[in-house]
Every structure is written in structure tokens, then in C-alpha cells.
Amino acid sequence: MIPRYTLPEMARWWSDEFRLQCWLDVEMAVLEAFVRLGWLSSEDFESIRSKVRVSVEEVQAREALTQHDVVAFVESLSAPLGPLGRFIHMGLTSSDVLDTATAIQLRESCDQLLRRIDRLREVLRQKALEYKNVPCVGRTHGVHAEPMTLGLKFLLWYEEFGRHRTRLVETRGRVAVGKVSGAVGVYAHVPPEVEAYVCSKLGLQREPVSSQIVPRDRHAEYLNTLALIGASVEKVALEVRHLQRTEVREAEEPFGRGQKGSSAMPHKRNPIVAERLCGLARLLRAYAQAGLEDVALWHERDISHSSVERVVLPDASIACDYMLERLTWIIEYMRIYPERLRQNMDITRGLIYSGGVLVALLRKGLDRITAYEWVQRCSMRVWEEGIPLVRALMEDEEVRAYLSEAEIEALCRPEAYLRHVDEIYDRVLGS
């Protein structure tokens, strides 16, 4: 049975409750900075802190009237405070709160995705080690090429997601950036010390220079990083789909008891989760494009980016989280068929060893054009007559003038191609 995906972590960071809590955290940090500046007494701050509450329902009700979410939020906070309510949001612009809070949401999302990547890489590492020495045929253009090992597929994916981890860590540092610089970024009503305190308090970096907003190249980078992760998820899922094809059937995604593959054909076991991941990768690429479109705004800011971000930032984060979780499940529980791997290696009757024969002839002193023609001639006999490549080579007098029977037999074994597998693993995983 396919386990149900639950999203308590990632969904939490993009919930209305957490978003408004982040807004409140920003506003309260600003008030703490006011206390440090002597603008607000400690007693008044404690009075404010004891009374402020954030209610999603109340803010939404006020927003229905004001048609402005931050104004509704500020009114909601200020209402029970009496005269002290004037200090809420004093000297700020909406984006001081919005962008700083969004930085917290993006930071938490990055941490959640990093946990997903770490878990996926651990599963890939286990599979890479388990199948390190299991030979299989490598394919290029969908056609049998030369022998490799199944473990190398997993090892390559392990390393690829390691690069994504590095990218995401770097991206995290560039999106966890806040600003409290006012309507056009010149600190007209609150000094830079307020911003410094707020960002330090919330664990964020300060935007070195801002307009009314944090520049959106930061958010575009986040979305592009997620799109890159999605592209690699799609790459792995597509390989699973190919390996599950009936003609190949070397591996397949898990198929649970009671699961149905088709309403019409009871025999079907379709790679539905892998296909789903390939589809979702298209969404992440589209979200990345939307993020790029948000970089260019009118002068110091317009709000054409705002409506986009309300969709793409939570959706892309949750979609990427889902994709990593599902791919981890596929890899951990996928079915692999060693006997089928062996059968498919033999399906071309040894043609996958032609490259080694070519190189052996070159090392014997034969020129490349002639060597290629001889091996291709033998290979065509295999295609047309259905005989093994070993036999075709043995029966070719010109080839036999250069290669002995023992040499030909040694060249037509997978071991001749896999002698450097340990070295590749050592580079990636260490000895």
C-alpha cells in the first residue's frame, strides 16, 4: 500500500497561523528595539506584550473590510492596547513586516527540504552499496551500450543530490534576509539600529540595501533551486519508469497489496508515483519562471509580485517537499529483479562488448578505421544471423590474426569493464 503523504512540517511554515505569528514576531522585535532606543518604556512594552494576540479569524474579518492584510493585522493587534496601540507598526511599511516574515518562512522551508534531501541521500547511499557489484547494461539513446553496475546509478544520484544540498544551503543564506528600512529603503522613520536588532533577534541577515522590499532575485534563486531539485527528481523517476517497462522490467516502484493499476486491465502495475513526480517537476519549472518575472518591478516597488508569491512560494515548497518524500519511498522500497538484469545483458548476444574489442585491436597496432570496420562487420553478423559476438569474432580470420581465442573470451565478459568501480565509489563515498 502506498503510504499517505502527510505535511505537518512544510505546511506549517506556510499556514496562516505561522505567517501571522511571524508578522507578530517582527512587530514585537521592533518594539524591543524601541525600548533600546528609549522610545518605549519597558513597562509599556511588557503591557503590550501581555495583551497582544493574533487571531487568523479576526484578521481575515478585518481584511474583508480594509482590503489590506497588514492594515487588518495592525488594527487587530492595536485594538486591545488603547493609547499604547500607536506604537504597533510605528514608522514601518507593510513590506518591513511581510518580507522579514517571509524570510523566516523560507529559512524554515529550506531546513525542511534539507532534511528531506539528507534522508533521500541516505537511502540512495544504501542502494549504491547494496548493488555496487551487480552488473547491468548501460544504455545510451535507449539502446544497449556497455556494461556497468546497477549501484552506479544510485551512486550518481547520491552525488547529484549532494550538489543540490550545497545549493540549498547557499540559497538558504541568501533568502534568510530581512529589512526594516521603510517605504523606500532610506530609514526615514526608524533608524538602521532597529533593523539590525530585529534581524539579529529573528536569526536573519540584513538586506544591505533595499527599496521598499527585499530584492526579488533572492526569491527567484530559491524557486530556481527548487526547480533544479525537481529536475533531478524527475530524472530519477523517469529512469524508474523506463526500468519498469515490460520489455525491460529490471526494477519497478512499489506496488501495494490491494492496489489497482487499471480499471480495465487487472494485470497492470503502472509506475504512477514516478509519473506523478515527472509531472510535478513541470510545475516547479513554471514556478521558477514566475519567480524570475517578479524580479523587475516599477521603481522602488509595485505589487505585481505579491499575488504571484502568495501562490508560488508555498506551492513550490510543498510540492518539492512532497516530491523528495515520494522519491525516497520509491527508492527505499523499489523492487529490483537481478535475474532480469542478467537476461537483458545477454539479449544482444555480446554486442555490448564491441567497444572493448575495438580498443584491443587498436592496442595491437591496427589503425582505427580498419579496426572499426572489422568489429562492425562482426557485429552486423550478430544482428542479422543471431549468433553470439564471440563466435563472430572467432570466425573472422582478420580479427583472429590479432586476437587469440582466450583474449576474445576475456574481452566479452562484464568484468573487463568494471575494474574501476571501486575507484569511483572511493571518490564519492571515501574508502
Side-chain angles (χ1 to χ4, degrees):
M1 180 177 179
I2 300 177
R4 186 175 181 84
Y5 169 77
T6 56
L7 52 159
E9 288 295 328
M10 187 59 83
R12 176 190 173 195
W13 310 132
W14 297 100
S15 66
D16 290 336
E17 291 78 9
F18 186 75
R19 175 171 54 88
L20 293 183
Q21 182 60 52
C22 289
W23 291 7
L24 178 59
D25 291 343
V26 174
E27 295 282 2
M28 296 305 293
V30 169
L31 293 181
E32 289 182 30
F34 287 174
V35 173
R36 295 166 67 91
L37 289 172
W39 294 5
L40 178 68
S41 70
S42 298
E43 293 76 16
D44 285 343
F45 172 74
E46 291 302 328
S47 178
I48 292 172
R49 182 158 62 179
S50 67
K51 295 176 182 177
V52 293
R53 296 291 183 272
V54 61
S55 165
V56 173
E57 293 74 17
E58 182 180 347
V59 172
Q60 290 175 342
R62 288 179 179 271
E63 186 181 353
L65 177 64
T66 64
Q67 294 298 300
H68 195 294
D69 52 359
V70 176
V71 170
F73 170 75
V74 171
E75 289 182 354
S76 176
L77 292 188
S78 303
L81 299 180
L84 291 178
R86 70 187 187 279
F87 288 102
I88 300 295
H89 205 68
M90 187 178 76
L92 307 186
T93 190
S94 296
S95 292
D96 290 333
V97 177
L98 291 171
D99 284 8
T100 305
T102 298
I104 298 172
Q105 292 176 285
L106 290 172
R107 181 189 65 199
E108 298 300 327
S109 296
C110 286
D111 288 344
Q112 169 70 7
L113 294 174
L114 286 169
R115 289 190 288 271
R116 291 291 193 198
I117 289 176
D118 287 344
R119 174 61 183 146
L120 172 60
R121 292 188 77 223
E122 177 55 31
V123 171
L124 288 170
R125 179 180 177 277
Q126 292 170 3
K127 293 294 183 182
L129 292 171
E130 182 178 357
Y131 294 100
K132 174 183 177 181
N133 297 311
V134 176
C136 69
V137 64
R139 298 173 175 88
T140 58
H141 306 274
V143 178
H144 286 202
E146 291 186 343
M148 57 179 291
T149 76
L150 184 61
L152 284 171
K153 290 181 184 285
F154 296 107
L155 188 69
L156 186 147
W157 299 334
Y158 169 87
E159 178 70 5
E160 188 163 334
F161 279 97
R163 292 193 294 275
H164 289 314
R165 192 188 198 286
T166 299
R167 290 186 185 102
L168 192 56
V169 168
E170 294 173 350
T171 297
R172 181 190 188 277
R174 283 190 279 271
V175 296
V177 172
K179 58 88 63 179
V180 186
S181 58
V184 292
V186 298
Y187 306 96
H189 309 297
V190 292
E193 301 93 285
V194 173
E195 178 183 80
Y197 179 83
V198 169
C199 289
S200 176
K201 171 82 174 180
L202 300 177
L204 303 173
Q205 298 296 314
R206 297 171 65 185
E207 182 61 60
V209 54
S210 63
S211 58
Q212 188 175 98
I213 61 171
V214 168
R216 258 40 189 180
D217 64 284
R218 297 183 183 277
H219 304 72
E221 179 181 350
Y222 174 77
L223 291 167
N224 274 269
T225 299
L226 266 55
L228 276 171
I229 294 171
S232 291
V233 171
E234 180 183 21
K235 171 182 178 177
V236 178
L238 187 63
E239 180 68 9
V240 172
R241 291 169 61 191
H242 282 314
L243 295 178
Q244 189 163 338
R245 289 162 55 213
T246 306
E247 295 83 357
V248 179
R249 204 167 177 267
E250 294 177 357
E252 63 180 3
E253 71 174 46
F255 191 88
R257 184 181 300 273
Q259 185 177 340
K260 305 296 187 289
S262 166
S263 63
M265 297 167 283
H267 73 278
K268 296 280 278 180
R269 285 157 55 136
N270 300 328
I272 58 170
V273 178
E275 290 173 335
R276 190 183 306 158
L277 297 181
C278 290
L280 288 173
R282 301 169 191 169
L283 276 182
L284 291 185
R285 288 192 286 274
Y287 292 150
Q289 177 65 31
L292 292 171
E293 297 290 345
D294 278 352
V295 174
L297 304 172
W298 285 21
H299 303 297
E300 278 58 60
R301 185 222 179 181
D302 60 55
I303 64 165
S304 61
H305 67 290
S306 178
S307 57
V308 177
E309 291 172 356
R310 292 167 191 258
V311 175
V312 301
L313 291 180
D315 276 17
S317 301
I318 293 171
C320 190
D321 182 67
Y322 172 84
M323 293 169 71
L324 289 168
E325 190 274 341
R326 291 288 89 170
L327 183 62
T328 301
W329 172 77
I330 288 176
I331 298 299
E332 186 169 13
Y333 299 107
M334 70 188 303
R335 302 183 182 189
I336 294 173
Y337 302 103
E339 181 59 32
R340 187 65 173 178
L341 290 166
R342 289 189 290 270
Q343 291 173 359
N344 284 343
M345 285 196 68
D346 296 333
I347 204 169
T348 60
R349 301 179 179 85
L351 287 176
I352 58 177
Y353 306 114
S354 69
V357 178
L358 171 63
V359 172
L361 290 172
L362 297 178
R363 288 178 174 170
K364 294 283 188 175
L366 196 60
D367 69 275
R368 182 175 184 83
I369 293 177
T370 302
Y372 194 100
E373 288 178 351
W374 290 2
V375 179
Q376 188 178 47
R377 180 176 66 213
C378 293
S379 298
M380 292 308 104
R381 284 195 65 198
V382 176
W383 282 119
E384 295 163 7
E385 301 175 28
I387 63 174
L389 179 62
V390 169
R391 175 182 163 186
L393 294 169
M394 297 285 194
E395 293 176 356
D396 192 292
E397 294 182 359
E398 291 180 307
V399 171
R400 284 300 308 277
Y402 282 81
L403 297 175
S404 69
E405 181 176 319
E407 287 174 320
I408 291 173
E409 289 181 348
L411 288 167
C412 293
R413 296 194 185 106
E415 293 78 12
Y417 290 77
L418 306 179
R419 58 187 178 277
H420 297 300
V421 169
D422 285 344
E423 181 181 346
I424 299 171
Y425 269 71
D426 287 346
R427 286 204 303 264
V428 177
L429 301 179
S431 57

